[in-house]
Amino acid sequence: MAEQYVHPLGVKRVGSSYTIATRMLRHEDMNGSDRLFGGRLMEWIDDAAGIAARRHAGCSITTVAVDTLEFKHPAFLNDIITIEAWVTHVERTSMEVRVDTYVENCATGERNMINHAYLTEVCIDENGKPMPVPYGLVARTTEEHAECEASRKRADLRRMRRREGI
Ligand SMILES: CC(C)(COP(=O)(O)OP(=O)(O)OC[C@H]1O[C@@H](n2cnc3c(N)ncnc32)[C@H](O)[C@@H]1OP(=O)(O)O)[C@@H](O)C(=O)NCCC(=O)NCCS
């Protein structure tokens, strides 16, 4: 387990980074099988994660890693896509951001989860070098505490994977 780092400007709540984006699927978002093009969704996920991370840190950030990207449900023309993102864990220079994506069929009102992804965003200085995340993260609700606990485990797993090159 990494040593606890003390952030210089104190802490922010999980809700400070909460970001929501809604889009209606257009022809240019489709792939050759008339479904949502996965690469387009990846761009939107990265965008939402970047906004959430900037909201938390208030400085420049960059994406260093994306895990658990799955496409569990298809999306079609005119469906509504909702993307929700928030910071779940803060380490020294990096933050974990969770991004949940849903598809909604307006005609039926049916809503399904497409994906939940975890992205690692790193704070960078004017030279593009990692710098400390200015704010720590405070969890208030039982759900936030559980997510934070799971995030620590994921961070340990990422470190182990990098150490062992897997
Ligand atoms: C992000 C970047 C500045 C990090 O630089 P670096 O020399 O690897 O820095 P470090 O090894 O000190 O890592 C910085 C932080 O990122 C984390 N990190 C690095 N690689 C990681 C990975 N593959 N997965 C998860 N976290 C990672 C480290 O754990 C560290 O976090 P911590 O300080 O909170 O413990 C550098 O890798 C970079 O510029 N990458 C390109 C990013 C980019 O351009 N993204 C846009 C899409 S291409």
Side-chain angles (χ1 to χ4, degrees), residues 63-147:
T63 305
V64 71
V66 181
D67 356 306
T68 58
L69 208 46
E70 295 171 44
F71 301 106
K72 296 180 181 168
H73 207 277
F76 302 99
L77 191 67
N78 294 327
D79 281 350
I80 307 288
I81 299 293
T82 305
I83 300 171
E84 296 174 34
W86 65 97
V87 172
T88 49
H89 184 58
V90 172
E91 297 225 339
R92 199 179 75 82
T93 65
S94 67
M95 294 160 274
E96 182 192 71
V97 182
R98 175 171 171 161
V99 185
D100 288 356
T101 308
Y102 301 89
V103 55
E104 179 188 330
N105 178 317
C106 283
T108 63
E110 192 186 345
R111 191 180 196 246
N112 287 290
M113 177 173 261
I114 295 183
N115 172 251
H116 78 251
Y118 292 99
L119 288 83
T120 306
E121 304 287 333
V122 176
C123 288
I124 47 170
D125 64 16
E126 60 281 7
N127 300 312
K129 298 289 175 212
M131 60 170 258
V133 183
Y135 300 93
L137 186 70
V138 61
R140 298 261 161 124
T141 65
T142 313
E143 220 177 15
E144 287 171 4
H145 278 289
E147 182 76 271

